[in-house]
Amino acid sequence: GAGVSQSPSNKVTEKGKDVELRCDPISGHTALYWYRQSLGQGLEFLIYFQGNSAPDKSGLPSDRFSAERTGGSVSTLTIQRTQQEDSAVYLCASSGSGRAWNTGELFFGEGSRLTVL
Amino acid sequence: QKEVEQNSGPLSVPEGAIASLNCTYSDRGSQSFFWYRQYSGKSPELIMSIYSNGDKEDGRFTAQLNKASQYVSLLIRDSQPSDSATYLCAVRGFGNEKLTFGTGTRLTIIP
């Protein structure tokens, strides 16, 4: 499809396991964001990629969290040694360059719901 | 102090009335301001953006910005049940490319 695609849509894991969440942005979009949303809460910024620039990792909550973006397209968010407080919906968003980026319009995927038991 | 603050609500408004949603931000250098709507179980979608002091109208929606007071608001006229959602305020700072979101205000329109 033409939208932001995330997988898996749901992930249940045991405490201490590693998980990988994938995001496939809209084709041609240079900016990619990861946010986390806990139940009933707002969006917590995690990390931002823009083109070939160094990513803004200022929102990653601990060194258990990392993300990469290969070839300026697909991104993977990895959470090592998961904890129960990591349970949330992880949202990926992308936006275009130039005027589209300046509008602040982020196009969100449907999210990956992570449950850590 | 949170970077972007909103009253979490819930805010209940009768159908046909005006819904008023408010947001304050801490970074005086912020340049761009946005309102996103998020239906339950869905992802956020952009409904309004505003960059200059004053009002900006789009259909039933009006965004208001006051940079001196570091305050941005969203008015929804002739509220409809389909407007029931969580409204997220988002702010982008000068030279800072990330969008910082508030916790959102849950709005319920009562038929």
Side-chain angles (χ1 to χ4, degrees), chain A residues 22-25 32 49 51-52 67-76:
Chain A
R22 176 190 166 102
C23 173
D24 199 344
L32 187 148
F49 297 90
N52 295 321
E68 63 177 18
R69 188 178 185 191
T70 54
S73 181
V74 172
S75 177
T76 302

mmCIF file with all atom_site columns, all heavy atoms in Angstrom, chain A residues 22-25 32 49 51-52 67-76:
data_model
loop_
_atom_site.group_PDB
_atom_site.id
_atom_site.type_symbol
_atom_site.label_atom_id
_atom_site.label_alt_id
_atom_site.label_comp_id
_atom_site.label_asym_id
_atom_site.label_entity_id
_atom_site.label_seq_id
_atom_site.pdbx_PDB_ins_code
_atom_site.Cartn_x
_atom_site.Cartn_y
_atom_site.Cartn_z
_atom_site.occupancy
_atom_site.B_iso_or_equiv
_atom_site.pdbx_formal_charge
_atom_site.auth_seq_id
_atom_site.auth_comp_id
_atom_site.auth_asym_id
_atom_site.auth_atom_id
_atom_site.pdbx_PDB_model_num
ATOM 1   N N   . ARG A 1 22 ? 9.466  -3.306 13.031 1.00 0.00 ? 22 ARG A N   1
ATOM 2   C CA  . ARG A 1 22 ? 9.867  -2.838 11.706 1.00 0.00 ? 22 ARG A CA  1
ATOM 3   C C   . ARG A 1 22 ? 8.937  -1.750 11.210 1.00 0.00 ? 22 ARG A C   1
ATOM 4   O O   . ARG A 1 22 ? 7.724  -1.782 11.465 1.00 0.00 ? 22 ARG A O   1
ATOM 5   C CB  . ARG A 1 22 ? 9.855  -4.016 10.738 1.00 0.00 ? 22 ARG A CB  1
ATOM 6   C CG  . ARG A 1 22 ? 10.150 -3.664 9.288  1.00 0.00 ? 22 ARG A CG  1
ATOM 7   C CD  . ARG A 1 22 ? 9.879  -4.854 8.380  1.00 0.00 ? 22 ARG A CD  1
ATOM 8   N NE  . ARG A 1 22 ? 9.845  -4.465 6.973  1.00 0.00 ? 22 ARG A NE  1
ATOM 9   C CZ  . ARG A 1 22 ? 10.851 -4.662 6.122  1.00 0.00 ? 22 ARG A CZ  1
ATOM 10  N NH1 . ARG A 1 22 ? 11.961 -5.251 6.523  1.00 0.00 ? 22 ARG A NH1 1
ATOM 11  N NH2 . ARG A 1 22 ? 10.742 -4.285 4.860  1.00 0.00 ? 22 ARG A NH2 1
ATOM 12  N N   . CYS A 1 23 ? 9.512  -0.801 10.468 1.00 0.00 ? 23 CYS A N   1
ATOM 13  C CA  . CYS A 1 23 ? 8.726  0.273  9.869  1.00 0.00 ? 23 CYS A CA  1
ATOM 14  C C   . CYS A 1 23 ? 9.161  0.476  8.423  1.00 0.00 ? 23 CYS A C   1
ATOM 15  O O   . CYS A 1 23 ? 10.352 0.653  8.148  1.00 0.00 ? 23 CYS A O   1
ATOM 16  C CB  . CYS A 1 23 ? 8.915  1.575  10.649 1.00 0.00 ? 23 CYS A CB  1
ATOM 17  S SG  . CYS A 1 23 ? 8.131  3.015  9.866  1.00 0.00 ? 23 CYS A SG  1
ATOM 18  N N   . ASP A 1 24 ? 8.195  0.486  7.541  1.00 0.00 ? 24 ASP A N   1
ATOM 19  C CA  . ASP A 1 24 ? 8.438  0.749  6.123  1.00 0.00 ? 24 ASP A CA  1
ATOM 20  C C   . ASP A 1 24 ? 7.738  2.059  5.784  1.00 0.00 ? 24 ASP A C   1
ATOM 21  O O   . ASP A 1 24 ? 6.499  2.093  5.715  1.00 0.00 ? 24 ASP A O   1
ATOM 22  C CB  . ASP A 1 24 ? 7.895  -0.404 5.281  1.00 0.00 ? 24 ASP A CB  1
ATOM 23  C CG  . ASP A 1 24 ? 8.488  -0.444 3.890  1.00 0.00 ? 24 ASP A CG  1
ATOM 24  O OD1 . ASP A 1 24 ? 9.067  0.579  3.474  1.00 0.00 ? 24 ASP A OD1 1
ATOM 25  O OD2 . ASP A 1 24 ? 8.375  -1.481 3.221  1.00 0.00 ? 24 ASP A OD2 1
ATOM 26  N N   . PRO A 1 25 ? 8.483  3.145  5.608  1.00 0.00 ? 25 PRO A N   1
ATOM 27  C CA  . PRO A 1 25 ? 7.841  4.453  5.427  1.00 0.00 ? 25 PRO A CA  1
ATOM 28  C C   . PRO A 1 25 ? 7.255  4.604  4.025  1.00 0.00 ? 25 PRO A C   1
ATOM 29  O O   . PRO A 1 25 ? 7.451  3.760  3.150  1.00 0.00 ? 25 PRO A O   1
ATOM 30  C CB  . PRO A 1 25 ? 8.996  5.432  5.638  1.00 0.00 ? 25 PRO A CB  1
ATOM 31  C CG  . PRO A 1 25 ? 10.207 4.664  5.169  1.00 0.00 ? 25 PRO A CG  1
ATOM 32  C CD  . PRO A 1 25 ? 9.942  3.241  5.552  1.00 0.00 ? 25 PRO A CD  1
ATOM 33  N N   . LEU A 1 32 ? 11.893 9.994  9.166  1.00 0.00 ? 32 LEU A N   1
ATOM 34  C CA  . LEU A 1 32 ? 11.235 8.866  9.824  1.00 0.00 ? 32 LEU A CA  1
ATOM 35  C C   . LEU A 1 32 ? 11.363 9.039  11.325 1.00 0.00 ? 32 LEU A C   1
ATOM 36  O O   . LEU A 1 32 ? 12.433 9.350  11.841 1.00 0.00 ? 32 LEU A O   1
ATOM 37  C CB  . LEU A 1 32 ? 11.861 7.539  9.374  1.00 0.00 ? 32 LEU A CB  1
ATOM 38  C CG  . LEU A 1 32 ? 11.187 6.254  9.851  1.00 0.00 ? 32 LEU A CG  1
ATOM 39  C CD1 . LEU A 1 32 ? 11.353 5.150  8.800  1.00 0.00 ? 32 LEU A CD1 1
ATOM 40  C CD2 . LEU A 1 32 ? 11.677 5.793  11.193 1.00 0.00 ? 32 LEU A CD2 1
ATOM 41  N N   . PHE A 1 49 ? 15.071 10.118 12.223 1.00 0.00 ? 49 PHE A N   1
ATOM 42  C CA  . PHE A 1 49 ? 16.035 10.008 11.129 1.00 0.00 ? 49 PHE A CA  1
ATOM 43  C C   . PHE A 1 49 ? 15.645 11.005 10.034 1.00 0.00 ? 49 PHE A C   1
ATOM 44  O O   . PHE A 1 49 ? 14.471 11.138 9.688  1.00 0.00 ? 49 PHE A O   1
ATOM 45  C CB  . PHE A 1 49 ? 15.988 8.596  10.502 1.00 0.00 ? 49 PHE A CB  1
ATOM 46  C CG  . PHE A 1 49 ? 16.376 7.484  11.416 1.00 0.00 ? 49 PHE A CG  1
ATOM 47  C CD1 . PHE A 1 49 ? 15.419 6.847  12.198 1.00 0.00 ? 49 PHE A CD1 1
ATOM 48  C CD2 . PHE A 1 49 ? 17.694 7.043  11.495 1.00 0.00 ? 49 PHE A CD2 1
ATOM 49  C CE1 . PHE A 1 49 ? 15.763 5.801  13.037 1.00 0.00 ? 49 PHE A CE1 1
ATOM 50  C CE2 . PHE A 1 49 ? 18.045 5.994  12.328 1.00 0.00 ? 49 PHE A CE2 1
ATOM 51  C CZ  . PHE A 1 49 ? 17.077 5.384  13.104 1.00 0.00 ? 49 PHE A CZ  1
ATOM 52  N N   . GLY A 1 51 ? 17.140 11.756 6.224  1.00 0.00 ? 51 GLY A N   1
ATOM 53  C CA  . GLY A 1 51 ? 18.095 11.532 5.158  1.00 0.00 ? 51 GLY A CA  1
ATOM 54  C C   . GLY A 1 51 ? 19.332 10.806 5.661  1.00 0.00 ? 51 GLY A C   1
ATOM 55  O O   . GLY A 1 51 ? 19.257 9.809  6.370  1.00 0.00 ? 51 GLY A O   1
ATOM 56  N N   . ASN A 1 52 ? 20.496 11.352 5.290  1.00 0.00 ? 52 ASN A N   1
ATOM 57  C CA  . ASN A 1 52 ? 21.768 10.745 5.676  1.00 0.00 ? 52 ASN A CA  1
ATOM 58  C C   . ASN A 1 52 ? 22.372 11.364 6.929  1.00 0.00 ? 52 ASN A C   1
ATOM 59  O O   . ASN A 1 52 ? 23.496 11.026 7.311  1.00 0.00 ? 52 ASN A O   1
ATOM 60  C CB  . ASN A 1 52 ? 22.774 10.871 4.525  1.00 0.00 ? 52 ASN A CB  1
ATOM 61  C CG  . ASN A 1 52 ? 22.346 10.082 3.303  1.00 0.00 ? 52 ASN A CG  1
ATOM 62  O OD1 . ASN A 1 52 ? 21.829 8.981  3.429  1.00 0.00 ? 52 ASN A OD1 1
ATOM 63  N ND2 . ASN A 1 52 ? 22.537 10.651 2.121  1.00 0.00 ? 52 ASN A ND2 1
ATOM 64  N N   . ALA A 1 67 ? 17.874 1.870  17.293 1.00 0.00 ? 67 ALA A N   1
ATOM 65  C CA  . ALA A 1 67 ? 17.157 1.866  16.019 1.00 0.00 ? 67 ALA A CA  1
ATOM 66  C C   . ALA A 1 67 ? 18.137 2.128  14.894 1.00 0.00 ? 67 ALA A C   1
ATOM 67  O O   . ALA A 1 67 ? 19.153 2.804  15.092 1.00 0.00 ? 67 ALA A O   1
ATOM 68  C CB  . ALA A 1 67 ? 16.040 2.911  15.995 1.00 0.00 ? 67 ALA A CB  1
ATOM 69  N N   . GLU A 1 68 ? 17.825 1.574  13.767 1.00 0.00 ? 68 GLU A N   1
ATOM 70  C CA  . GLU A 1 68 ? 18.620 1.840  12.584 1.00 0.00 ? 68 GLU A CA  1
ATOM 71  C C   . GLU A 1 68 ? 17.688 2.011  11.393 1.00 0.00 ? 68 GLU A C   1
ATOM 72  O O   . GLU A 1 68 ? 16.537 1.579  11.411 1.00 0.00 ? 68 GLU A O   1
ATOM 73  C CB  . GLU A 1 68 ? 19.616 0.707  12.330 1.00 0.00 ? 68 GLU A CB  1
ATOM 74  C CG  . GLU A 1 68 ? 18.984 -0.646 12.036 1.00 0.00 ? 68 GLU A CG  1
ATOM 75  C CD  . GLU A 1 68 ? 20.043 -1.695 11.714 1.00 0.00 ? 68 GLU A CD  1
ATOM 76  O OE1 . GLU A 1 68 ? 21.226 -1.492 12.028 1.00 0.00 ? 68 GLU A OE1 1
ATOM 77  O OE2 . GLU A 1 68 ? 19.667 -2.728 11.135 1.00 0.00 ? 68 GLU A OE2 1
ATOM 78  N N   . ARG A 1 69 ? 18.237 2.651  10.395 1.00 0.00 ? 69 ARG A N   1
ATOM 79  C CA  . ARG A 1 69 ? 17.482 2.849  9.162  1.00 0.00 ? 69 ARG A CA  1
ATOM 80  C C   . ARG A 1 69 ? 18.411 2.507  8.008  1.00 0.00 ? 69 ARG A C   1
ATOM 81  O O   . ARG A 1 69 ? 19.440 3.153  7.814  1.00 0.00 ? 69 ARG A O   1
ATOM 82  C CB  . ARG A 1 69 ? 17.004 4.297  9.033  1.00 0.00 ? 69 ARG A CB  1
ATOM 83  C CG  . ARG A 1 69 ? 16.050 4.498  7.874  1.00 0.00 ? 69 ARG A CG  1
ATOM 84  C CD  . ARG A 1 69 ? 15.558 5.913  7.803  1.00 0.00 ? 69 ARG A CD  1
ATOM 85  N NE  . ARG A 1 69 ? 14.552 6.048  6.750  1.00 0.00 ? 69 ARG A NE  1
ATOM 86  C CZ  . ARG A 1 69 ? 14.092 7.200  6.304  1.00 0.00 ? 69 ARG A CZ  1
ATOM 87  N NH1 . ARG A 1 69 ? 14.524 8.333  6.827  1.00 0.00 ? 69 ARG A NH1 1
ATOM 88  N NH2 . ARG A 1 69 ? 13.191 7.231  5.346  1.00 0.00 ? 69 ARG A NH2 1
ATOM 89  N N   . THR A 1 70 ? 18.056 1.485  7.285  1.00 0.00 ? 70 THR A N   1
ATOM 90  C CA  . THR A 1 70 ? 18.916 0.981  6.223  1.00 0.00 ? 70 THR A CA  1
ATOM 91  C C   . THR A 1 70 ? 18.521 1.576  4.877  1.00 0.00 ? 70 THR A C   1
ATOM 92  O O   . THR A 1 70 ? 17.322 1.617  4.537  1.00 0.00 ? 70 THR A O   1
ATOM 93  C CB  . THR A 1 70 ? 18.842 -0.549 6.150  1.00 0.00 ? 70 THR A CB  1
ATOM 94  O OG1 . THR A 1 70 ? 17.467 -0.940 6.021  1.00 0.00 ? 70 THR A OG1 1
ATOM 95  C CG2 . THR A 1 70 ? 19.392 -1.161 7.420  1.00 0.00 ? 70 THR A CG2 1
ATOM 96  N N   . GLY A 1 71 ? 19.515 2.060  4.152  1.00 0.00 ? 71 GLY A N   1
ATOM 97  C CA  . GLY A 1 71 ? 19.273 2.573  2.812  1.00 0.00 ? 71 GLY A CA  1
ATOM 98  C C   . GLY A 1 71 ? 18.321 3.736  2.762  1.00 0.00 ? 71 GLY A C   1
ATOM 99  O O   . GLY A 1 71 ? 17.710 4.014  1.719  1.00 0.00 ? 71 GLY A O   1
ATOM 100 N N   . GLY A 1 72 ? 18.195 4.448  3.880  1.00 0.00 ? 72 GLY A N   1
ATOM 101 C CA  . GLY A 1 72 ? 17.308 5.594  3.908  1.00 0.00 ? 72 GLY A CA  1
ATOM 102 C C   . GLY A 1 72 ? 15.850 5.244  3.806  1.00 0.00 ? 72 GLY A C   1
ATOM 103 O O   . GLY A 1 72 ? 15.009 6.118  3.543  1.00 0.00 ? 72 GLY A O   1
ATOM 104 N N   . SER A 1 73 ? 15.505 3.961  4.042  1.00 0.00 ? 73 SER A N   1
ATOM 105 C CA  . SER A 1 73 ? 14.112 3.563  3.912  1.00 0.00 ? 73 SER A CA  1
ATOM 106 C C   . SER A 1 73 ? 13.633 2.838  5.162  1.00 0.00 ? 73 SER A C   1
ATOM 107 O O   . SER A 1 73 ? 13.304 3.475  6.148  1.00 0.00 ? 73 SER A O   1
ATOM 108 C CB  . SER A 1 73 ? 13.943 2.686  2.668  1.00 0.00 ? 73 SER A CB  1
ATOM 109 O OG  . SER A 1 73 ? 12.591 2.306  2.509  1.00 0.00 ? 73 SER A OG  1
ATOM 110 N N   . VAL A 1 74 ? 13.658 1.519  5.140  1.00 0.00 ? 74 VAL A N   1
ATOM 111 C CA  . VAL A 1 74 ? 13.118 0.715  6.235  1.00 0.00 ? 74 VAL A CA  1
ATOM 112 C C   . VAL A 1 74 ? 13.892 0.966  7.529  1.00 0.00 ? 74 VAL A C   1
ATOM 113 O O   . VAL A 1 74 ? 15.118 1.121  7.524  1.00 0.00 ? 74 VAL A O   1
ATOM 114 C CB  . VAL A 1 74 ? 13.170 -0.779 5.872  1.00 0.00 ? 74 VAL A CB  1
ATOM 115 C CG1 . VAL A 1 74 ? 12.791 -1.645 7.056  1.00 0.00 ? 74 VAL A CG1 1
ATOM 116 C CG2 . VAL A 1 74 ? 12.263 -1.058 4.681  1.00 0.00 ? 74 VAL A CG2 1
ATOM 117 N N   . SER A 1 75 ? 13.150 1.015  8.637  1.00 0.00 ? 75 SER A N   1
ATOM 118 C CA  . SER A 1 75 ? 13.769 1.197  9.947  1.00 0.00 ? 75 SER A CA  1
ATOM 119 C C   . SER A 1 75 ? 13.371 0.054  10.868 1.00 0.00 ? 75 SER A C   1
ATOM 120 O O   . SER A 1 75 ? 12.254 -0.476 10.781 1.00 0.00 ? 75 SER A O   1
ATOM 121 C CB  . SER A 1 75 ? 13.336 2.531  10.555 1.00 0.00 ? 75 SER A CB  1
ATOM 122 O OG  . SER A 1 75 ? 13.868 2.697  11.858 1.00 0.00 ? 75 SER A OG  1
ATOM 123 N N   . THR A 1 76 ? 14.302 -0.306 11.748 1.00 0.00 ? 76 THR A N   1
ATOM 124 C CA  . THR A 1 76 ? 14.042 -1.328 12.763 1.00 0.00 ? 76 THR A CA  1
ATOM 125 C C   . THR A 1 76 ? 14.333 -0.742 14.133 1.00 0.00 ? 76 THR A C   1
ATOM 126 O O   . THR A 1 76 ? 15.408 -0.176 14.352 1.00 0.00 ? 76 THR A O   1
ATOM 127 C CB  . THR A 1 76 ? 14.924 -2.568 12.537 1.00 0.00 ? 76 THR A CB  1
ATOM 128 O OG1 . THR A 1 76 ? 14.677 -3.097 11.237 1.00 0.00 ? 76 THR A OG1 1
ATOM 129 C CG2 . THR A 1 76 ? 14.622 -3.630 13.580 1.00 0.00 ? 76 THR A CG2 1
#
